[in-house]
Structures are given as C-alpha cells and as structure tokens.
Amino acid sequence: MKRHLTALIALMAGLLVVPAPAHAAGTQPAAQQVLSPTPYQGWNTYFGLGGNFSEQSVREVADALVARGLAKAGYDIVWLDGGWQDPEPRTAAGDLQADRSRFPDGLRPLVDFIHSRGLKAGIYTDAGPYLPGKCGLGSYGNYQRDADQIAAWGFDAVKVDFLCGIAANLDPKTVYPEFAQALRNNASGRPIIFNLCNPVTSPDWGNYPAEQQSTYSWSYAPAIAQSWRTYTDVGFVGDIKFKDVLRNYDANARHPEVAGPGHFNDPDYLGPELGMSDEEFRTQMTLWAVAAAPLVIGSDVRKLSQTSVDILTDSDVLAINQDRAGVQAVRVGSAGTTETWVKRLADGSRAVVLLNRGDTPKILTTEASSLGLSGSRFTVNNAWTNEVTESAGTISAAVAAHGAALFRIESNHGLPGVPHVTAGLPQVTQVGGEATPEGTAPVLASGDVARVEAAVRNDGLLPVLAPQVTLAAPAGWSVRSLDGAPVLLAPGKAATFAFAVTLPAAAAPGAATLIATTSYDVIGKGRLRQETSTGVVVAPAPPDGDVVLSHHQWISATSGWMSPTVDLSVGGWSPISMLGQVYPTGLGVASPSTVRYYLGGDCSRLTATVGIDDAVRNVGPEGGTSTFQVIGDGRVLFDSGLLTRDDIRQFDVDLTGVRVLDLLVGDAGDGGYNDRANWAGLNATC
C-alpha cells in the first residue's frame, strides 16, 4: 500500500497539467505547465456576499482587491460561487446562463473586466444534475459542454460542488475524474484550476457512506485537481466560528502526505470579521499558511479593517504558505489544548507553530531537535512581529488564548545574537484568594482582588541582566508588585513576577486589558523591552431574588451554529418545545455550546428542564443527541448523560458559594448535526 501511494505522489506533478492547444506543423509544443505550483490565492463570494451578488458588487470587490494591496500580495482570483446562475440555469439549447437581471450582458463582460484589472476569474458549478428544490445548479450529463463554455467565457478556475451529486446519490470518485477530464479537454485549450469541493461529511450532514464524504477525497483528488476540500464548510454565510476553524484544520491535517506542488488539501476559506476576533483570525491565517492551503478570502474585502488586511498580506506569513516545496505541516507530539506543528521549507529551515486552543494564555515551548534540526544555535524569526532572536535549542512563545505563534527556525553561526527571551502575557491566577480553574477564562468583578502573574524565560546563549516587569491596568484599578526582581536570568532560566490587582467598587462591566512591560539588559545590545497584554472580563452585576436566569445578562454565550436564543429554540424560529410541551422561558442552543453567568456567590438554587427541541423532527431522523452539564467554578454540579429527542431531564442543583456558572452542551460524540438543545425554565434563587 505504501509503495503504491509513493508512486501515486511521484506521478502527481505530471498528471496535474492541462493539455496545450494544438500547434502548427513543424513547431514544438511548449513544456507542459503544472497549474498552481504553490497554493492559489483569491476571493470568493460565498461567505461575504451570499448568493445574491451582482456584476456591480463583484466589480467593486475586484477593484478593492487591487486598491487595498491584496492583489499585489497574491489574492488574484475573483471567484463567483453559487448564485450566479439564472433561475432557469440553462437556455433552451442547453447552455449555462447567468441570472439575466443581475448579469444582463452575461458573464463575459465581467470576466473581461476582472482580467483588465490584472486578476483571474473563477466560477462555480456542481458535479451532479440540476435538481430543482434541492440544488441550484448541476453539470452532470453536460460536463464537456459546460467545460467548453466556462473556458470560452474566459474563466481561469472552477469550483465543483457536490450538493446535487449527493442529492442524486452519485459516486464522487467516479464523476469528479470525468469532470476533470472535460476541463483538461476544453475546446479553448485554456488552463483552468480545478477546486474539487465535496463538502459532505458525517456526522455534520447526516449519515453517508465513507466513499461519498469529503474525508475520502484525498484518495483520488490529487491526481485530478489542484485542490480538494477536506471537510464541510468552515461556517455559515456571515458566521465563521473559531471552533469550526480548528475542526476543519484538524480534518485537513489527516493526510499531509498527498499535498505537494500543484495539488493541495483545502480546509475552506479565510473568514476575517465574520465572527472571529482579530486574534482568532490571525490564528486561522497561521494554520492555513503552514498547511500549504489555498488562501481564499471569504469576507467582503470592501469592508475589511486595515488590521484584517495587514494579517492577510503579511509577507513573511505568505512566504511560508507559498514555499515552493509545497509541504504541509504535521503535528509534533500529542494532540491537546496546546500543540506544536512543523512545516519543512525548501531551504531546509522549519516553519513552527505553537498553538493554544485554550481559553487562557500560555507560554509554550518546543525543541529544535524535535523539529528535525541539529546544532547548538538557531535563528528564531517571528513571522508576525519580524523580531529575530537566537536560541540555544529551546523555542518558546507567550501565546494568547485561541492564539498561535509562528516562527521560521534555522541553524545559526557567527557572533551571538539577541537572546530569545519570552515575555509572558499577564495571567490572572487567583481571584479573592481562590485559584482560577485551570483552562478557564478568568472573570473579575467590582471590588475583587486578583493575583496576576507574568513569567519571563531566557532561551538564548547570553545572560539577561536586571530583568523587570511592570503591570498597567485600567484607570481606577490599583496594582501592587508582590516580588523583587532577580539580578539576572541565565540561559535556560525563568522567573515569575506577581502583582496584586484591586478593582474599584464601581468597576465598569465589559472587556478590560492588562498590559505587562518586560525590560532587560543584554551585553552589547542595550536595554530591550517587550510589551504583552491580556484581555479580561469584568462581570455584570449578579442576579438578585427569584430570577429567570435566561433573562439575565450573560458574560458570554456560544452555540454550535448561529447564536443562543432567549425563550426560543435556536435560530429563533419557534417556541421552546420538548415532547410536545411548550416552555415559555429558557435558552435554545446548538451543540457544542457554553453559556456563562456571573453569580458572585449570591445564589442558592437553580432548576431547569433540559432536552432536544421538537424542531429536530422537522429536519430528519439523524442527529438530535446532546449532553448537558452545569458547572460551578469548575465543578460539575449536574450531568445529564446522553439525551435523545425522546428524553428530557429535570435538575435542581445547589449553587451555594458559586461565583461563575457555566451551562455546557456537548454533541454526545456524534457531531452537531441537528442538535437543537434547550435549557427550559431556567430559574435561579439568589
């Protein structure tokens, strides 16, 4: 099996070509070209514009790609996703036709406009037959006709979906190669990038045979396509969540061995400002870069902040993604809340990611020897900050919650460089003398006294002299140092600086920031400084009296899809209902979900009924299984076990002394498909 796979990979570069048009007698054909030898880049309509985009809106985005420097950074494909087609997607003669109201002159003028801006044009179709009411466009039975038409319109790339294919119960391994052959044989002889987009997964979509799922595409797609989707969509229109970015990245990482120049695993689109924080999007960009993934922006680039544009166009990060070796990163060590990923680069150096999936900042470390590097001195180039330091073999980083550090590591020689010093992010370790539960984001409230720590470690070759950390907090907060500073930090040593932070009695609820400034002397380098910061949450006032908790302000709330809804099933389409009984109050969520409330130790009791909403019966028999937990200050107060659509559970728990309450819904291990969960009648005594 391994021998056959090796042979397949070796042949891929030769297979991923488009035949050149016929040449006149006596002339020699040009050398065959590998399409997209590095991951292609571009923009797609789907997440940012939805399905009702127009010629004008696409023209405006094309202009924005150029004006905002994105095209210069390589994002040069303007890709029309589903929705470009007419309600009658074919003419009487059988040709594809664009929506006649939004594209009155057809697609050729739009393609010409895109090309006039120095960009390429992409389009969308489906490998299955057009099935009204089930999918909007299909090419099955018309592969060659459609390939010829797409080429004649001047398109440079095509995304081929499988919604119609799955509705018609087709075999993707059979039909996708047929479509690929039609593209290669298009009548215009036009090179066209082929993105094989089978998003069907189980359990996210229901139960489908393994051979029909996106997780199987790796076994045949590298020989016929420039990229292939490796999991379901990374989000919904206008809504991309960090947890789904991680889910897609993990699925994409299953078969790194099949990626290489001209053929790449595709974890789906980049989603700045569609539901993630800037930190979370920077992490997505980091992971997609080392995954050698196609970089396709899903957001409306006309509206992006300059911060998002700067993340998308960072030259050092893009260089790692576009490395000519085309190698995909692999994990070093075990999977967990914190991880190390390494990507071998063409010049022999390594791109290294230190990933923090958790909800609290961490200092993460790895060793150069674990990355496949040998020697005793290494240059550490931070791809995001452009700081260049030297390590004796240990590479560390202070990584924010949901964050990632990205370094380029290579052997070093010559005079000693600036030592690799890691200044930790300030971290709340205690509130009111009680330790913050491990892995749980801290919550502060008016009048609290918190212990905040910032660690500093020296992984360089030179000692660090007179290290010092100062901490800044919002106006009105008091900060008192609890430690003296050491005289020096020798190579391989670390120190922790602690502070007592007191919030005023009238501290405003919401987000606040703690800023640590670390300074130290290095012989021959002067006094150096690093600034790190951590966001903390100041809780709203706790509930008082007998309250409907779902009507009280939460600290934070997540849902597997969409957002939690108050007194309605998730999505807000119907009242909360379980086993035929309607509940007037509660929360509707989709798994997985966490809803957090601040109680301040002032409540004594919580009652509710939990279960699966009757709305799942309108969707289908699949899915609709969840687990429910009530967590008080990190302790499990109630655990429902697995509940199906035919179960409900009632609970009555003691909240005495509980400061922070978490309501957790899990997917019961079978994915979140059709998991519409309810916390009904959520009543607290405070």
Side-chain angles (χ1 to χ4, degrees):
M1 177 63 184
K2 289 183 178 179
R3 186 168 59 251
H4 293 162
L5 182 60
T6 302
L8 172 65
I9 295 171
L11 288 171
M12 284 176 187
L15 289 169
L16 290 171
V17 298
V18 176
H23 294 265
T27 64
Q28 296 295 321
Q32 289 183 320
Q33 176 187 7
V34 175
L35 289 183
S36 191
T38 60
Y40 58 78
Q41 299 170 244
W43 168 84
N44 183 284
T45 59
Y46 181 77
F47 285 114
L49 299 188
N52 197 35
F53 53 88
S54 65
E55 178 173 347
Q56 181 60 31
S57 62
V58 174
R59 283 175 177 250
E60 290 175 3
V61 169
D63 281 338
L65 287 171
V66 174
R68 307 201 69 183
L70 290 158
K72 185 177 180 181
Y75 298 93
D76 60 357
I77 304 177
V78 179
W79 216 310
L80 312 184
D81 210 286
W84 65 265
Q85 71 276 10
D86 194 78
E88 298 177 10
R90 293 189 184 274
T91 65
D95 292 326
L96 293 171
Q97 66 176 347
D99 187 286
R100 286 167 284 182
S101 61
R102 292 179 287 125
F103 303 93
D105 298 318
L107 293 182
R108 185 67 202 224
L110 177 58
V111 173
D112 289 343
F113 174 84
I114 292 170
H115 287 162
S116 75
R117 295 298 187 266
L119 303 169
K120 301 172 185 176
I123 197 170
Y124 165 100
T125 187
D126 193 288
Y130 171 51
L131 299 171
K134 293 187 176 180
C135 53
L137 177 65
S139 289
Y140 186 74
N142 296 279
Y143 287 169
Q144 197 61 60
R145 174 190 286 267
D146 290 357
D148 290 346
Q149 187 170 1
I150 287 168
W153 277 335
F155 282 97
D156 307 286
V158 61
K159 169 183 174 179
V160 185
D161 212 334
F162 204 63
L163 302 181
C164 297
I166 201 69
N169 198 32
L170 297 179
D171 174 23
K173 188 176 181 179
T174 299
V175 297
Y176 272 126
E178 294 173 1
F179 198 104
Q181 183 177 6
L183 280 179
R184 290 195 297 269
N185 294 336
N186 75 77
S188 303
R190 187 174 187 83
I192 298 177
I193 289 172
F194 177 22
N195 171 226
L196 189 159
C197 180
N198 177 9
V200 177
T201 52
S202 181
D204 296 274
W205 287 58
N207 295 320
Y208 291 96
E211 293 78 9
Q212 286 188 319
Q213 297 180 41
S214 55
T215 50
Y216 190 71
S217 299
W218 70 274
S219 66
Y220 60 88
I224 61 171
Q226 280 65 53
S227 66
W228 52 94
R229 282 278 295 278
T230 52
Y231 208 64
T232 191
D233 294 352
V234 74
F236 297 88
V237 173
D239 183 19
I240 295 179
K241 300 180 187 299
F242 183 65
K243 69 176 184 61
D244 293 331
V245 164
L246 294 179
R247 175 202 65 191
N248 276 34
Y249 178 78
D250 290 339
N252 193 76
R254 294 175 186 172
H255 292 285
E257 73 277 7
V258 298
H263 44 94
F264 302 100
N265 287 304
D266 175 16
D268 205 11
Y269 302 150
L270 298 167
E273 300 178 41
L274 292 177
M276 290 185 285
S277 67
D278 290 341
E279 187 74 53
E280 290 170 337
F281 173 58
R282 187 179 290 105
T283 299
Q284 186 193 18
M285 186 71 185
T286 297
L287 296 176
W288 266 230
V290 297
L295 301 180
V296 178
I297 305 166
S299 312
D300 186 344
V301 299
R302 298 171 299 178
K303 302 176 182 179
L304 287 182
S305 68
Q306 189 58 46
T307 296
S308 293
V309 172
D310 290 345
I311 293 171
L312 287 163
T313 58
D314 188 283
S315 58
D316 289 338
V317 177
L318 289 176
I320 289 170
N321 174 260
Q322 295 291 301
D323 184 75
R324 67 180 185 275
V327 172
Q328 181 173 327
V330 296
R331 187 176 56 240
V332 176
S334 60
T337 303
T338 61
E339 295 175 342
T340 300
W341 294 78
V342 59
K343 171 184 173 73
R344 178 178 57 79
L345 302 175
D347 64 0
S349 63
R350 302 290 191 270
V352 179
V353 174
L354 299 177
L355 172 63
N356 182 8
R357 300 170 182 258
D359 295 330
T360 55
K362 298 283 186 182
I363 288 184
L364 307 183
T365 65
T366 190
E367 300 295 328
S369 58
S370 300
L371 310 175
L373 295 171
S374 59
S376 58
R377 298 175 57 190
F378 302 91
T379 297
V380 181
N381 191 328
N382 189 316
W384 285 115
T385 67
N386 300 321
E387 294 174 344
V388 179
T389 55
E390 184 179 55
S391 168
T394 299
I395 295 91
S396 303
V399 187
H402 298 183
L406 177 59
F407 298 111
R408 191 169 188 143
I409 314 293
E410 58 187 330
S411 297
N412 190 28
H413 306 282
L415 295 175
V418 175
H420 184 65
V421 173
T422 300
L425 286 78
Q427 187 165 1
V428 177
T429 59
Q430 294 180 10
V431 179
E434 297 293 329
T436 302
E438 177 65 24
T440 301
V443 174
L444 302 177
S446 297
D448 278 345
V449 178
R451 180 182 174 92
V452 177
E453 297 181 354
V456 182
R457 58 177 294 148
N458 177 15
D459 294 316
L461 278 75
L462 299 175
V464 167
L465 307 177
Q468 186 177 33
V469 176
T470 59
L471 183 69
W477 297 27
S478 69
V479 177
R480 177 170 56 89
S481 177
L482 299 177
D483 300 294
V487 175
L488 62 79
L489 278 182
K493 298 298 182 179
T496 298
F497 296 77
F499 304 86
V501 177
T502 304
L503 280 68
T513 303
L514 300 173
I515 302 173
T517 301
T518 302
S519 60
Y520 46 92
D521 288 320
V522 177
I523 297 173
K525 310 296 182 183
R527 188 79 179 169
L528 305 180
R529 284 176 172 79
Q530 296 186 44
E531 185 175 280
T532 58
S533 63
T534 298
V536 294
V537 173
V538 180
D544 184 23
D546 293 329
V547 298
V548 176
L549 192 59
S550 58
H551 294 174
H552 186 71
Q553 182 181 354
W554 56 51
I555 297 172
S556 60
T558 65
S559 178
W561 53 274
M562 301 191 75
S563 299
T565 48
V566 176
D567 299 342
L568 294 169
S569 66
V570 66
W573 300 315
S574 58
I576 291 172
S577 174
M578 296 178 292
L579 301 182
Q581 180 177 347
V582 174
Y583 296 80
T585 63
L587 293 173
V589 300
S591 74
S593 165
T594 301
V595 182
R596 169 169 280 196
Y597 292 99
Y598 177 68
L599 306 183
D602 295 337
C603 299
S604 60
R605 183 183 184 195
L606 180 70
T607 61
T609 302
V610 296
I612 305 300
D613 197 89
D614 289 336
V616 302
R617 303 174 195 276
N618 301 325
V619 177
E622 299 89 0
T625 56
S626 294
T627 59
F628 297 77
Q629 286 187 320
V630 178
I631 309 292
D633 295 331
R635 297 180 294 110
V636 177
L637 306 179
F638 166 77
D639 190 329
S640 70
L642 187 151
L643 298 185
T644 72
R645 64 186 65 196
D646 297 317
D647 301 316
I648 60 172
R649 292 282 189 278
Q650 295 179 334
F651 66 78
D652 186 336
V653 299
D654 183 355
L655 295 180
T656 302
V658 171
R659 185 171 176 275
V660 178
L661 180 74
D662 289 308
L663 304 179
L664 274 60
V665 175
D667 65 8
D670 61 358
Y673 181 76
N674 207 12
D675 286 357
R676 302 168 187 234
N678 295 326
W679 298 91
L682 198 61
N683 299 315
T685 302
C686 302

